[in-house]
């Protein structure tokens, strides 16, 4: 979505990013895990297209970052506030920084930290996600 909005802004009425992946956050299909099956079980049951998305995320991130800024695209970036129990303070600070960088690449963006939400903001706070979508669609409070 970020790539499309940055490269084809005239085609985008608004962009809602929900705890979105940062272009530098390449995901890895990691087969080394704490248990013999943890990494592999996920991979075994992951559809091919999902495995491809994970494996290609580093290159996709580069393509997003090399694209023009999303200057004219009305954007709302929603960021979670509840982090996994095993995340370090440094990891939390990095996650917050990355979400801020995403918002900065869309100068028309509004960046909102969503209280009482983990990564799945749409599950934890659907009211906030719906209000942001309505706002971008022009049928909610400004």
């Amino acid at each position: 979505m970020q790539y499309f909005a940055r490269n084809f802004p005239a085609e985008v009425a608004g962009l809602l990013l929900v705890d979105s992946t940062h272009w530098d956050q390449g995901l890895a299909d990691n087969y080394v895990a704490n248990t013999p099956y943890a990494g592999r079980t996920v991979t075994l049951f992951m559809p091919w297209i999902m495995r491809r998305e994970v494996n290609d995320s580093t290159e996709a991130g580069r393509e997003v970052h090399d694209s023009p800024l999303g200057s004219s695209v009305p954007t709302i970036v929603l960021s979670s506030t509840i982090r996994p129990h095993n995340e370090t303070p440094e990891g939390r600070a990095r996650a917050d920084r990355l979400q801020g960088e995403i918002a900065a690449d869309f100068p028309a963006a509004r960046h909102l930290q969503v209280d009482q939400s983990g990564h799945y903001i749409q599950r934890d706070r659907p009211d906030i996600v719906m209000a942001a979508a309505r706002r971008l669609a022009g049928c909610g409070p400004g």
Side-chain angles (χ1 to χ4, degrees):
M1 290 185 296
Q2 293 178 51
Y3 178 86
F4 188 87
R6 289 167 76 139
N7 286 282
F8 306 98
E11 302 293 323
V12 179
L15 180 62
L16 176 57
L17 298 173
V18 182
D19 220 22
S20 188
T21 302
H22 186 277
W23 49 86
D24 255 355
Q25 213 170 0
L27 306 172
D29 194 356
N30 184 359
Y31 294 101
V32 178
N34 292 332
T35 66
Y37 303 106
R40 294 178 186 181
T41 302
V42 171
T43 302
L44 286 174
F45 294 106
M46 187 184 292
W48 174 83
I49 194 68
M50 289 175 72
R51 285 195 310 269
R52 181 158 180 190
E53 181 180 356
V54 167
N55 290 332
D56 292 347
S57 65
T58 299
E59 178 59 30
R62 265 193 295 276
E63 290 177 14
V64 168
H65 191 251
D66 291 344
S67 297
L69 295 180
S71 58
S72 63
V73 178
T75 303
I76 297 176
V77 176
L78 301 178
S79 299
S80 60
T81 55
I82 299 172
R83 298 291 179 200
H85 70 281
N86 60 348
E87 187 174 51
T88 65
E90 295 80 17
R92 167 64 189 241
R94 180 176 185 268
D96 292 342
R97 179 181 54 78
L98 294 178
Q99 290 295 298
E101 287 180 8
I102 291 169
D105 264 16
F106 290 89
R110 229 178 130 195
H111 185 193
L112 305 172
Q113 299 281 336
V114 182
D115 290 333
Q116 301 173 346
S117 69
H119 176 64
Y120 297 103
I121 299 171
Q122 68 277 12
R123 181 192 64 206
D124 298 337
R125 295 298 308 273
D127 57 317
I128 300 295
V129 176
M130 292 303 300
R134 287 185 181 114
R135 178 176 181 193
L136 288 170
C139 54

